[in-house]
Amino acid sequence: IYASSGVGVNPRCVERNKTVNNVTITYSTTVYSEPRFSVSYFCIFLFAIISLSWASFTLLESSFSKSERISSANSNPLNDLNTETKLVGDKVLEKKSLVHLLAIQTYACALTNGILPSIQSYSCQPYGQLTYNLTVKLASVFSLTACFCAFYFKTKVNLKIITYAATFSIIFVIYIIYTAVLSPNPPLQDEILGKILILISWIVKGSLFSFIKASIASMLRDFAEEGHRALFWYGSFTQVGSATGAALMFTLINYTTIFKSYNPCSQSN
């Protein structure tokens, strides 16, 4: 829907004149193309998606889906976690490993749900509107692919692989934040290499974090006896990470001058 709306075309710089005290001043203003359909249609589409989601949730909670549920009458998510929790089969996961997974989940959600979305425009727009739109669209596609990979290869995913992926993601996160801080004049702004680097950084970042979050959820879901409790903590730390990242960026963007917006018609760029 976003792609079909026609938004994202490079803006035009139009010169305009205004008279102040009998003196004519010429200035440039940014003009964006009109979308193919109004915001109302987009909101109707979102309403339809939310309605379908609500209907699906209601169906899952109905008697129609009771046969698919796993009994968890004795499971209380507020109980203390055991030192060692049994997984499907003969695998076990120690408490410290579970804490390790939840820490990675908090880190991933703080970045993907709070920090990085807040600075995406600062990081990408100086490289051009096309680069910005490709980043948004391709990152979503590759993130979805990463989720499927985490599902289909879940038997081969372990704590070590998730840790390596989280560590590797730091490289791209640092580069993204670096370009956002230097906006509106990030490195290699007018070079093809700069556009490629920022595009790859956002795509790889999105893919890694999608893989990490899907893998952690899959591992915790497969707990034979403690799955309900583990997923409760998974959701809790997801919210903690997201809220922390959002609060941090709200403060930095609104009450500091660290991040500066890019103006394509500015004489300084």
Side-chain angles (χ1 to χ4, degrees):
I1 295 297
Y2 169 77
S4 63
S5 66
V7 298
V9 180
N10 286 329
R12 295 180 294 109
C13 295
V14 178
E15 290 189 351
R16 301 185 186 278
N17 298 321
K18 67 177 180 179
T19 302
V20 179
N21 296 328
N22 296 324
V23 177
T24 301
I25 300 175
T26 302
Y27 64 97
S28 296
T29 184
T30 306
V31 178
Y32 294 90
S33 61
E34 292 292 330
R36 294 191 179 97
F37 50 83
S38 67
V39 177
S40 300
Y41 288 105
F42 186 73
C43 291
I44 292 173
F45 171 78
L46 290 182
F47 175 76
I49 293 296
I50 294 173
S51 300
L52 288 175
S53 300
W54 174 80
S56 300
F57 178 79
T58 303
L59 183 63
L60 288 174
E61 290 295 315
S62 66
S63 58
F64 180 79
S65 303
K66 283 185 177 180
S67 60
E68 299 294 330
R69 298 180 184 176
I70 299 175
S71 176
S72 57
N74 298 324
S75 178
N76 184 357
L78 298 179
N79 291 337
D80 293 333
L81 294 172
N82 296 330
T83 301
E84 191 176 78
T85 306
K86 293 182 179 179
L87 287 169
V88 175
D90 56 355
K91 297 180 180 180
V92 296
L93 184 67
E94 296 180 353
K95 180 179 178 180
K96 62 180 182 180
S97 299
L98 179 57
V99 172
H100 187 178
L101 286 174
L102 293 177
I104 294 177
Q105 176 68 12
T106 305
Y107 156 77
C109 290
L111 288 169
T112 57
N113 299 340
I115 296 176
L116 297 181
S118 302
I119 62 174
Q120 187 167 19
S121 60
Y122 298 101
S123 174
C124 298
Q125 277 197 335
Y127 294 97
Q129 197 70 19
L130 177 61
T131 302
Y132 178 52
N133 283 277
L134 285 176
T135 299
V136 174
K137 296 171 185 176
L138 293 180
S140 300
V141 173
F142 280 92
S143 295
L144 180 61
T145 304
C147 289
F148 279 109
C149 291
F151 175 77
Y152 285 110
F153 299 102
K154 66 178 182 178
T155 56
K156 298 181 180 180
V157 176
N158 52 40
L159 181 60
K160 183 180 295 186
I161 292 177
I162 294 176
T163 303
Y164 286 157
T167 304
F168 185 55
S169 69
I170 296 176
I171 300 174
F172 302 96
V173 170
I174 291 176
Y175 183 74
I176 289 171
I177 295 177
Y178 177 67
T179 58
V181 170
L182 293 183
S183 177
N185 299 300
L188 303 173
Q189 180 179 2
D190 299 321
E191 304 292 335
I192 295 297
L193 179 60
K195 302 178 189 297
I196 294 175
L197 284 176
I198 197 65
L199 183 61
I200 291 176
S201 296
W202 277 96
I203 290 175
V204 175
K205 179 276 304 178
S207 301
L208 285 174
F209 283 126
S210 295
F211 175 81
I212 289 170
K213 292 189 290 184
S215 297
I216 293 176
S218 181
M219 289 181 64
L220 299 183
R221 183 194 60 187
D222 288 339
F223 277 67
E225 299 176 356
E226 310 293 341
H228 179 68
R229 182 186 306 174
L231 287 178
F232 169 82
W233 289 112
Y234 174 88
S236 299
F237 280 89
T238 295
Q239 298 303 319
V240 169
S242 302
T244 301
L248 174 63
M249 295 314 300
F250 177 83
T251 303
L252 292 179
I253 291 176
N254 291 282
Y255 298 103
T256 70
T257 58
I258 296 176
F259 303 102
K260 300 178 178 64
S261 299
Y262 170 73
N263 182 0
C265 296
S266 174
Q267 298 296 328
S268 62
N269 291 305

